[in-house]
């Protein structure tokens, strides 16, 4: 049986040194807000597209 990280076993392309990860500056509140707003906007657009597709599938004419 495979472990929980089996799909990442051979993927070292995005590995960063631990020191670089631990010394990176944290995200500012403005960056965090912008990130959340983009995520919410993408989710709403996806939900709207799903609703439009469902409405189009229901309307055969």
């Amino acid at each position: 049986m495979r472990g929980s990280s089996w799909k990442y076993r051979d993927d070292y392309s995005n590995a960063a040194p631990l020191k670089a990860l631990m010394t990176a500056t944290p995200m500012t509140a403005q960056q965090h807000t912008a990130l959340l707003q983009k995520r919410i906007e993408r989710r709403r657009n996806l939900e709207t597209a799903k609703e439009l597709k469902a409405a189009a599938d229901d309307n055969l004419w």
Side-chain angles (χ1 to χ4, degrees):
M1 186 167 177
R2 297 180 192 164
S4 62
S5 64
W6 64 270
K7 66 180 179 179
Y8 302 110
R9 186 180 311 142
D10 297 326
D11 184 18
Y12 295 106
S13 62
N14 60 356
L18 182 60
K19 184 174 182 180
L21 293 173
M22 299 302 291
T23 58
T25 56
M27 190 181 304
T28 65
Q30 290 82 11
Q31 290 171 327
H32 186 258
T33 301
L35 183 69
L36 288 180
Q37 287 174 347
K38 286 180 184 178
R39 187 178 300 161
I40 291 168
E41 182 180 355
R42 282 191 304 250
R43 187 184 71 233
R44 286 182 180 163
N45 289 339
L46 182 62
E47 290 172 352
T48 302
K50 285 181 181 179
E51 290 171 0
L52 290 173
K53 185 177 185 320
D57 290 343
D58 289 343
N59 186 4
L60 300 177
W61 296 99

